[in-house]
Amino acid sequence: MRVTEEEPTWFWGLRVWWAWFWRYLLIVVILSALVGGGIGAIGALIGLASDTTASIGGGAGFLVGIIFMPFVFKRLMTKGFGKYRLAVVHK
């Protein structure tokens, strides 16, 4: 298979960004809500202040986002964009 490199355009940059962004946002929002809800429930059960629980939940949500970002990006690299796909090419 012959690979031809095409010049990146703003349109394709936006299209790739959007494909990554909505998947990332969907996964992170759901997982962060689950993690934050679990931390909030545990914090309430053991009597932690709501500010403390919110801080811990926010930090956990941030970590979920950081941890899952590469997984979403790797998944995006296997997805096609019409007749194109995202690839890593040796310089």
Side-chain angles (χ1 to χ4, degrees):
M1 178 170 94
R2 185 169 181 265
V3 176
T4 57
E5 185 176 338
E6 298 208 15
E7 190 67 30
T9 63
W10 282 103
F11 171 77
W12 281 105
L14 185 61
R15 191 165 174 188
V16 169
W17 172 82
W18 177 249
W20 169 79
F21 181 74
W22 77 260
R23 286 169 177 82
Y24 175 73
L25 191 63
L26 183 69
I27 289 170
V28 169
V29 165
I30 291 170
L31 288 177
S32 293
L34 291 173
V35 169
I39 288 173
I42 291 169
L45 287 174
I46 63 173
L48 286 178
S50 61
D51 290 348
T52 303
T53 304
S55 295
I56 294 170
F62 177 76
L63 288 175
V64 165
I66 295 296
I67 290 168
F68 278 91
M69 188 182 304
F71 292 104
V72 174
F73 202 82
K74 183 184 179 302
R75 171 70 178 111
L76 184 63
M77 292 178 73
T78 63
K79 181 194 178 304
F81 297 94
K83 64 180 184 173
Y84 297 102
R85 68 181 175 88
L86 190 59
V88 176
V89 180
H90 187 75
K91 270 183 151 177

